[in-house]
Amino acid sequence: MADGEAAEGGVRRRGCTFQKNDFFPEESFKSWGNYGRAVMNTPLRFKDHVLKRSSDHAEIVDVKAQSGNEMKKTLNWWDLMWFGVGAVVGSGVFVLTGLEAKEKAGPAVVLSFVISGVSALLSVFCYTEFAVEIPVAGGSFAYLRVELGDFVAFIAGGNILLEYVIGGAAVARSWTSYFATLCNRNPDDFRIVVHNMNPDYGHLDPVAVVALIAITALAVYSTKNSSIFNYIATIFHMVVLLFIIIAGLSKAKIENYSPFTPFGFRGIVSASAVLFFAYVGFDAVATMAEETKNPARDIPIGLVGSMTITTVLYCLLATTLCLMQNYKEVDTNAPFSVAFSVVGMDWAKYIISIGALKGITTVLLVISVGQARYLTHIARTHMMPPWFAFVDDRTGTPMNASISMLIASSIVAFFTDLGILSNLLSITTLFIFMLVALALLVRRYYSSGVTTKVNQVNLIVCLILIIGSSLGISACWASDNGWIGYSIVVPLWFLGTGGLWLFVPMEKKPDVWGVPLVPWVSFGILYIVGVTCFI
């Protein structure tokens, strides 16, 4: 269709074209005089944005309309559930399980997976409530913009985009490593080693870039086709995991489960903090709410179902590993492959590598889908140029955002070592989870123009008490300085949460789906995230 051709609902254009307004749409850029006046008004404009909050209706109707074309509603709960499993079950479980079993938890690492799984499920509840009531592509960015305002959303949006660029690059580098293992080669055999560069940036990885391009092409072509590919690949992955569990348990020795808790309860919790990252990825599924046929039904079933399946699988894998081999002898780099070699099934390492490679591929696919939708919605609000918000009329997908994020991730993946990327990834993820939990409480207990000044003050005091005491509990845990610190901060935690529950009326309850036991569950998330940060 020719550029500028009018169509019902707006102007249809090809995504590869652009105009001045696509990058400089505001009145401030219309003339040098306007620009000068805007610069002079920066303090007032900044104050307005700090205090300004969006609304559900604005995000769902007004902001979404900025894309010109609608994203196609092609997904149901089945698609979302397998997208969730595909997003979470990657290569991490194949490495983290052995590492935490050997160094922190022993056979009780299965309990660590339960604790971290419950923690992740609590975060899923928060995302689900928001996604049902604000079914847009912006995910946590949109939720924070509605409840905590433009300024917090702007900070969070930068963290989200950074998280996805780094995460996509890290997963792509992992793809090369597992592909090399499957080929019985060293990963550097597939990389270009530049000897006069820093080793952290001198192992150039063209295979990672090719993997990113292939996955992004599928994501741009069709969300539904991406779902079908993810479903088939994830089912195959489930078969590989079931093989590991069944074949591994056939070689189980019950004496390997003794002692069950060699590092005590502290070791179990410490391991759960690290294993929490084996569950990260579900937040990308929330960005698909705009493409879901029935968000009120499909999102809760899809997200909670995927987290339940993932937790059960992780617990079975952890149990299998520790029954096959004594935790003291577990290999921290390739625990399952080495365990099968020890019991005389060396050939199984190739099946494990195929499973890990498949897991990485689906994680990469969901990252590609999620990151483009985040950028699309951020651009709809003009916090990024609106050119990135364009939704292609033919495919119903955000083409410009997808290609832009592909370029950014490819550059980082091509140059940067996996270790550097992994260290950068964790803090941004936990920061967003904490903000979403906080935003849920604001949504429940504060309504502009309705909540009285007294209740506003009570809410702020309770939030400060709970957040401060949660960080205090986390610090006490990290320093292991006995019961004195706990005797101070734990009562403050109950005082703040109980005060919120008793003295601040809940202004809004969800119509369809809601997090149970608010505020107790939400503040539980804040505490868990705090412990993870300190550990």
Side-chain angles (χ1 to χ4, degrees):
M1 185 173 290
D3 296 343
E5 182 180 341
E8 184 179 354
V11 177
R12 295 183 179 180
R13 298 168 43 202
R14 291 191 176 95
C16 58
T17 63
F18 61 88
Q19 302 169 359
K20 178 183 177 182
N21 284 346
D22 292 334
F23 289 90
F24 304 102
E26 311 297 343
E27 279 297 317
S28 306
F29 296 103
K30 299 302 182 184
S31 69
W32 284 106
N34 287 2
Y35 185 78
R37 285 188 290 271
V39 171
M40 295 298 294
N41 290 329
T42 295
L44 292 176
R45 289 159 62 93
F46 178 75
K47 178 184 176 182
D48 289 342
H49 281 293
V50 168
L51 300 176
K52 180 182 177 182
R53 300 166 72 213
S54 183
S55 66
D56 293 11
H57 181 270
E59 295 298 308
I60 297 171
V61 179
D62 301 334
V63 174
K64 194 169 78 170
Q66 298 296 314
S67 288
N69 302 308
E70 292 273 346
M71 295 187 189
K72 295 180 179 179
K73 293 184 178 295
T74 58
L75 305 178
N76 55 32
W77 66 268
W78 185 258
D79 299 310
L80 295 180
M81 185 172 70
W82 290 108
F83 260 129
V85 174
V88 174
V89 183
S91 62
V93 66
F94 292 106
V95 177
L96 291 177
T97 306
L99 180 65
E100 299 307 306
K102 185 171 185 177
E103 297 184 355
K104 293 181 181 177
V109 70
V110 63
L111 299 181
S112 301
F113 270 116
V114 172
I115 294 172
S116 54
V118 171
S119 306
L121 186 61
L122 297 180
S123 291
V124 165
F125 282 158
C126 290
Y127 273 84
T128 301
E129 179 172 328
F130 274 117
V132 167
E133 299 200 354
I134 312 175
V136 294
S140 53
F141 171 80
Y143 315 151
L144 296 175
R145 189 164 180 259
V146 169
E147 301 305 333
L148 300 183
D150 277 1
F151 182 69
V152 174
F154 178 78
I155 300 299
N159 275 273
I160 290 167
L161 294 181
L162 177 64
E163 171 193 345
Y164 272 93
V165 168
I166 294 171
V171 174
R173 298 280 297 201
S174 295
W175 201 97
T176 304
S177 298
Y178 275 92
F179 179 71
T181 302
L182 188 62
C183 298
N184 207 21
R185 303 285 293 274
N186 188 294
D188 280 347
D189 293 340
F190 295 92
R191 293 176 177 140
I192 303 169
V193 180
V194 182
H195 296 287
N196 59 352
M197 287 182 65
N198 186 314
D200 290 335
Y201 305 97
H203 291 240
L204 312 184
D205 198 334
V207 175
V209 175
V210 171
L212 282 168
I213 292 173
I215 290 298
T216 303
L218 176 61
V220 168
Y221 178 71
S222 167
T223 303
K224 185 63 178 180
N225 287 346
S226 298
S227 174
I228 294 171
F229 172 82
N230 174 79
Y231 169 64
I232 295 172
T234 302
I235 289 296
F236 175 77
H237 195 191
M238 295 301 102
V239 172
V240 173
L241 295 180
L242 288 175
F243 162 79
I244 293 173
I245 293 167
I246 295 170
L249 290 177
S250 70
K251 302 291 184 178
K253 295 180 180 179
I254 195 65
E255 58 266 25
N256 287 333
Y257 243 45
S258 181
F260 182 67
T261 57
F263 300 96
F265 179 71
R266 185 176 184 83
I268 294 172
V269 176
S270 296
S272 71
V274 176
L275 293 173
F276 181 84
F277 291 102
Y279 292 89
V280 170
F282 63 82
D283 54 312
V285 181
T287 67
M288 303 174 198
E290 192 172 314
E291 297 158 272
T292 302
K293 295 176 182 178
N294 186 353
R297 180 198 65 185
D298 296 338
I299 293 173
I301 296 175
L303 278 171
V304 176
S306 64
M307 194 55 56
T308 302
I309 292 172
T310 299
T311 301
V312 171
L313 281 173
Y314 282 177
C315 290
L316 289 173
L317 286 167
T319 301
T320 300
L321 177 65
C322 292
L323 283 173
M324 288 178 67
Q325 195 174 20
N326 187 283
Y327 77 92
K328 296 178 182 178
E329 300 170 358
V330 168
D331 185 271
T332 56
N333 295 313
F336 287 94
S337 297
V338 172
F340 274 100
S341 296
V342 170
V343 298
M345 299 174 64
D346 188 60
W347 50 270
K349 67 182 180 182
Y350 296 105
I351 297 178
I352 295 170
S353 295
I354 292 173
L357 190 63
K358 182 264 115 207
I360 292 172
T361 303
T362 55
V363 169
L364 204 56
L365 175 63
V366 180
I367 286 176
S368 179
V369 171
Q371 67 186 7
R373 279 139 189 83
Y374 269 120
L375 179 55
T376 297
H377 201 79
I378 292 171
R380 287 169 173 173
T381 67
H382 291 193
M383 290 187 189
M384 289 286 286
W387 182 81
F388 296 106
F390 172 80
V391 172
D392 186 77
D393 177 59
R394 182 177 61 84
T395 64
T397 58
M399 182 177 294
N400 294 353
S402 298
I403 294 173
S404 301
M405 294 298 286
L406 164 66
I407 293 171
S409 295
S410 296
I411 292 172
V412 176
F414 187 62
F415 289 100
T416 312
D417 182 74
L418 181 59
I420 301 293
L421 296 172
S422 299
N423 290 334
L424 290 171
L425 186 60
S426 59
I427 189 64
T428 57
T429 304
L430 292 171
F431 177 64
I432 299 302
F433 286 176
M434 184 182 69
L435 285 179
V436 170
L438 183 61
L440 177 69
L441 294 172
V442 174
R443 183 175 184 82
R444 290 286 192 96
Y445 289 94
Y446 175 77
S447 179
S448 181
V450 177
T451 305
T452 65
K453 290 292 184 182
V454 172
N455 287 333
Q456 288 182 35
V457 172
N458 290 341
L459 174 61
I460 293 171
V461 170
C462 289
L463 288 176
I464 292 173
L465 272 176
I466 295 302
I467 294 173
S469 61
S470 295
L471 293 175
I473 293 170
S474 305
C476 290
W477 178 271
S479 60
D480 193 22
N481 60 357
W483 59 269
I484 298 177
Y486 291 110
S487 66
I488 298 173
V489 294
V490 171
L492 289 177
W493 189 89
F494 281 101
L495 178 64
T497 308
L500 182 62
W501 183 49
L502 291 172
F503 301 115
V504 183
M506 191 176 291
E507 300 290 357
K508 182 176 182 179
K509 293 184 179 180
D511 298 326
V512 180
W513 167 272
V515 178
L517 301 177
V518 172
W520 305 97
V521 165
S522 299
F523 279 128
I525 297 169
L526 294 177
Y527 164 64
I528 291 163
V529 170
V531 169
T532 308
C533 287
F534 273 98
I535 292 175

